[in-house]
Amino acid sequence: MTILSSLGRAYRSAPLASKLLLLGTLSGGSLVAYSDSNKKEEEQKQKKKKVVVLGTGWAGISFLKDLDISSYDVQVVSPQNYFAFTPLLPSVTCGTVEARSIVESVRNITKKVCLNLLVYHYSAKLFFKIWQKNGEIELWEADCAKIDPANNKVRCQPVFKDDPEASQEFSLDYDYLVIAVGAQVNTFGTPGVLENCHFLKEVEDAQRIRRGVIDCFEKAILPGLTEEQRRTKLHFVIVGGGPTGVEFAAELHDFIEEDITKIYPSVKELVKITLIQSGDHILNSFDERISSFAEQKFLRDGIDVLMGMRVMSVSDKDISVKIKSSGEVVSLPHGLILWSTGVGTRPVISDLMEQVGQGGRRALATNEWLQVKGCENVYAVGDCASIAQRKIMGDIENIFKAADVDNSGTLTEEELQEVVDDIVVRYPQVELYLKSKHMRSIRDLLTDSEGDPKKEVDIKAFESALSGVDSQMKSLPATAQVAAQQGSYLAKCFNKMEHCKEHPEGPKRFRTGGHHQFRPFQYKHFGQFAPLGGDQAAAELPGDWVSAGRSTQWLWYSVYASKQVSWRTRALVVSDWTRRYIFGRDSSRI
């Protein structure tokens, strides 16, 4: 009875997943009893390293989800206690998706099922212990005000500034620091942008834009306004022809055409959407076929795309732009402006860069293992950091020397084969270069005049064959896909840190000998989408495959639904899409 009563208490207090495990075990003829007698003793024996994580965006959440928290004391500092699915922010601006449908509590995401169960199987008369190590993540809702790498401390400012008791600064010590604070909007120092433009980085930004759009229509229908004043109120300007600007323009067009004009029919003909792009094409990070498709689609929809223009200044009534080809400056009246022109460095990151000798950079420089240069125990992931990839030509002599085992001054096929895999792993640009040349291996670069592989190569031939490799070095884009992969990679490194100290798994160290502790981070591009409105989207997928149209929109729906961080948000987003098809978007100003 004692075992059964303990079992009952464990069952009632356990999470759903543990209850299902418990019932499944009983159905197999086993008895489960709750036991955590050794848990506290083991936690006391093992002193955990303290990991402080700054930020709960894509990189931070991916790190926390994959980290084995039983091995570390994890503390998280973030001004928000939630994670937002930022690719759907343009949909939030127009009510296609509700704000709460794309956010999930950080505590829900990182919650762990922690039970120790002792299983006694009658038929086999054996004991089985199902062990899941316990762990806890502490979350502090605060901004990081300063990072002190010399003393392994971070100074934090709580976000509750209206409460004196809850707004006092505090400091946290760390053994390892993971910086995932993201980036802020880049205004390029343009006068009036901060005061007169909307941005689209956070959920609150999307909600402000949604209210602003409705306000523009409410103001435009007031009596006493001239037609020119009404046109000004209903002129929506988007600065930046990247994915965010294009998606917002498409969402806004659909919102106006499908919902708003039915409610405000008197001003239907006065609405205008203008997209300003400094380059020659919109979506210039996509395949040129997608850029052309998007431009033609916007032309048909009546969205005015102005390319080759630079914004000079912004006021509360108009925006001044310079036509690059002629140098002429023109002024455009506006009702609402969205500024979406890239990202800039946050002040706390700029301050850290000054401390570690990286002043003047656009982002925090890390090595290929996402370790901040100049700090052994500080890592940076996501938009706040940039990987400073090592050039292969700087190590060419060391590579050759390490491969030339017999010190003959030449490399045989066997000696080259021993280091080929390490070269490709250590220098990712090698693989990109080989793909650009339609080659399979480095050995294909080392051929004679007839195209046959050379039996032996000297240092000059080796250097000549790899001289063009570094031309493929490129900075990774500031996207959710990159940040998520970096966070997940870093968590896996942390999980096997102790094991890899004794058994390194990385490539050879060509300069000092031995092997690197881990394999370096390598980004895998899984494609990108650009919703263009009217139930049409464009996609650029691996293998140089480009797709555009209605079928691609349904592919976008399925991918974005599957990428939600929880079943709750997945269900909410799908229901919002369904609601929009049946009832349209809500135009209430809340």
Side-chain angles (χ1 to χ4, degrees), residues 79-241:
Q80 293 99 16
N81 68 350
Y82 61 84
F83 165 79
F85 191 85
T86 51
L88 285 178
L89 283 179
S91 297
V92 175
T93 62
C94 297
T96 305
V97 173
E98 292 298 326
R100 286 201 172 271
S101 299
I102 66 167
V103 300
E104 184 66 73
S105 167
V106 174
R107 290 181 172 86
N108 286 342
I109 296 173
T110 59
K111 184 170 59 179
K112 303 293 182 179
V113 179
C114 304
L115 274 182
N116 297 326
L117 299 175
L118 181 65
V119 183
Y120 176 72
H121 195 281
Y122 284 108
S123 59
K125 295 184 178 179
L126 294 174
F127 286 94
F128 301 94
K129 193 174 185 182
I130 300 175
W131 175 268
Q132 184 167 0
K133 292 184 178 180
N134 196 3
E136 183 181 357
I137 293 177
E138 293 181 292
L139 172 64
W140 315 113
E141 199 167 344
D143 284 303
C144 178
K146 187 176 181 62
I147 300 171
D148 183 3
N151 298 302
N152 291 347
K153 290 180 180 291
V154 291
R155 195 174 78 239
C156 306
Q157 176 65 57
V159 298
F160 311 103
K161 296 180 181 180
D162 56 343
D163 186 345
E165 296 179 355
S167 61
Q168 299 180 12
E169 281 194 355
F170 62 91
S171 295
L172 297 175
D173 299 323
Y174 64 82
D175 295 303
Y176 297 106
L177 177 65
V178 178
I179 305 173
V181 296
Q184 64 183 15
V185 174
N186 192 350
T187 66
F188 299 98
T190 307
V193 171
L194 290 174
E195 298 83 1
N196 302 297
C197 293
H198 288 272
F199 308 106
L200 193 52
K201 291 286 292 179
E202 310 290 347
V203 173
E204 293 83 359
D205 296 335
Q207 292 174 316
R208 279 192 290 268
I209 292 172
R210 184 175 178 179
R211 288 192 293 268
V213 171
I214 300 300
D215 284 348
C216 287
F217 280 91
E218 291 292 347
K219 293 175 183 177
I221 63 171
L222 291 174
L225 271 67
T226 65
E227 181 175 316
E228 188 62 29
Q229 289 174 327
R230 298 184 200 276
R231 287 185 184 276
T232 298
K233 302 291 185 189
L234 298 177
H235 186 197
F236 302 95
V237 179
I238 299 101
V239 180

Side-chain angles (χ1 to χ4, degrees), residues 425-436:
V425 172
R426 179 64 183 85
Y427 307 95
Q429 63 265 39
V430 173
E431 186 175 358
L432 296 175
Y433 183 74
L434 292 174
K435 287 182 179 179
S436 70

Side-chain angles (χ1 to χ4, degrees), residues 500-560:
C500 288
K501 284 181 181 179
E502 300 294 332
H503 308 282
E505 62 177 24
K508 289 182 179 180
R509 293 180 180 269
F510 294 111
R511 283 176 173 267
T512 59
H515 285 75
H516 290 279
Q517 189 174 357
F518 307 108
R519 293 172 67 91
F521 172 75
Q522 190 167 7
Y523 170 64
K524 295 180 180 179
H525 186 60
F526 295 110
Q528 52 187 344
F529 287 91
L532 301 174
D535 287 332
Q536 295 191 52
E540 182 181 272
L541 301 176
D544 195 32
W545 182 56
V546 170
S547 175
R550 295 183 182 275
S551 60
T552 308
Q553 178 71 26
W554 286 101
L555 178 62
W556 178 84
Y557 283 139
S558 61
V559 170
Y560 274 38

Side-chain angles (χ1 to χ4, degrees), residues 39-55:
K39 184 179 65 175
K40 292 183 179 179
E41 294 179 5
E42 292 195 10
E43 289 181 349
Q44 291 174 354
K45 289 179 182 179
Q46 181 181 7
K47 181 176 174 60
K48 296 181 180 180
K49 295 281 189 180
K50 184 179 291 185
V51 178
V52 173
V53 181
L54 305 179

Side-chain angles (χ1 to χ4, degrees), residues 13 22 58 99 380 475 501 513 539 546 556:
S13 62
L22 182 67
W58 281 96
S475 297
K501 284 181 181 179
V546 170
W556 178 84

Side-chain angles (χ1 to χ4, degrees), residues 276-560:
I276 300 173
Q277 166 70 341
S278 62
D280 296 330
H281 296 281
I282 61 175
L283 296 178
N284 50 23
S285 62
F286 283 71
D287 186 281
E288 61 180 11
R289 291 168 289 181
I290 291 180
S291 296
S292 177
F293 179 85
E295 290 167 9
Q296 293 173 14
K297 172 72 166 56
F298 279 8
L299 180 62
R300 293 193 302 270
D301 290 343
I303 298 175
D304 195 9
V305 179
L306 305 179
M307 292 177 284
M309 292 192 172
R310 180 186 174 189
V311 177
M312 305 302 294
S313 64
V314 182
S315 71
D316 60 341
K317 296 187 181 299
D318 54 44
I319 176 171
S320 297
V321 297
K322 182 179 182 180
I323 303 173
K324 291 184 177 181
S325 59
S326 64
E328 180 186 0
V329 177
V330 297
S331 181
L332 304 174
H334 67 81
L336 181 145
I337 299 179
L338 171 69
W339 185 273
S340 176
T341 60
V343 295
T345 309
R346 292 189 183 276
V348 66
I349 299 300
S350 298
D351 177 72
L352 175 62
M353 289 194 293
E354 292 290 341
Q355 295 183 62
V356 298
Q358 296 187 23
R361 287 182 54 87
R362 179 186 61 83
L364 199 57
T366 71
N367 61 19
E368 295 87 339
W369 292 269
L370 309 183
Q371 188 179 45
V372 174
K373 290 195 169 185
C375 304
E376 292 185 359
N377 60 342
V378 180
Y379 299 83
V381 287
D383 296 354
C384 66
S386 177
I387 298 175
Q389 177 65 50
R390 190 172 186 84
K391 293 184 177 181
I392 192 171
M393 294 309 294
D395 293 336
I396 199 73
E397 292 184 4
N398 292 303
I399 296 172
F400 189 89
K401 185 177 180 180
D404 187 14
V405 179
D406 58 4
N407 296 320
S408 63
T410 59
L411 297 183
T412 64
E413 290 187 45
E414 291 76 15
E415 288 176 327
L416 183 60
Q417 188 61 40
E418 286 294 319
V419 297
V420 163
D421 291 339
D422 291 292
I423 293 174
V424 172
V425 172
R426 179 64 183 85
Y427 307 95
Q429 63 265 39
V430 173
E431 186 175 358
L432 296 175
Y433 183 74
L434 292 174
K435 287 182 179 179
S436 70
K437 297 294 183 181
H438 305 288
M439 295 179 178
R440 293 184 177 181
S441 171
I442 293 177
R443 295 177 61 186
D444 295 336
L445 295 171
L446 303 169
T447 56
D448 56 26
S449 58
E450 297 181 359
D452 297 324
K454 293 181 179 180
K455 298 295 184 181
E456 293 184 347
V457 292
D458 58 15
I459 181 65
K460 289 186 178 179
F462 188 66
E463 183 176 351
S464 176
L466 298 176
S467 60
V469 166
D470 289 332
S471 65
Q472 293 296 316
M473 294 174 61
K474 297 178 181 178
S475 297
L476 295 176
T479 63
Q481 189 174 172
V482 172
Q485 289 187 31
Q486 288 181 340
S488 180
Y489 161 84
L490 189 59
K492 292 174 182 176
C493 291
F494 270 65
N495 292 343
K496 52 190 175 184
M497 188 172 290
E498 295 301 321
H499 173 77
C500 288
K501 284 181 181 179
E502 300 294 332
H503 308 282
E505 62 177 24
K508 289 182 179 180
R509 293 180 180 269
F510 294 111
R511 283 176 173 267
T512 59
H515 285 75
H516 290 279
Q517 189 174 357
F518 307 108
R519 293 172 67 91
F521 172 75
Q522 190 167 7
Y523 170 64
K524 295 180 180 179
H525 186 60
F526 295 110
Q528 52 187 344
F529 287 91
L532 301 174
D535 287 332
Q536 295 191 52
E540 182 181 272
L541 301 176
D544 195 32
W545 182 56
V546 170
S547 175
R550 295 183 182 275
S551 60
T552 308
Q553 178 71 26
W554 286 101
L555 178 62
W556 178 84
Y557 283 139
S558 61
V559 170
Y560 274 38

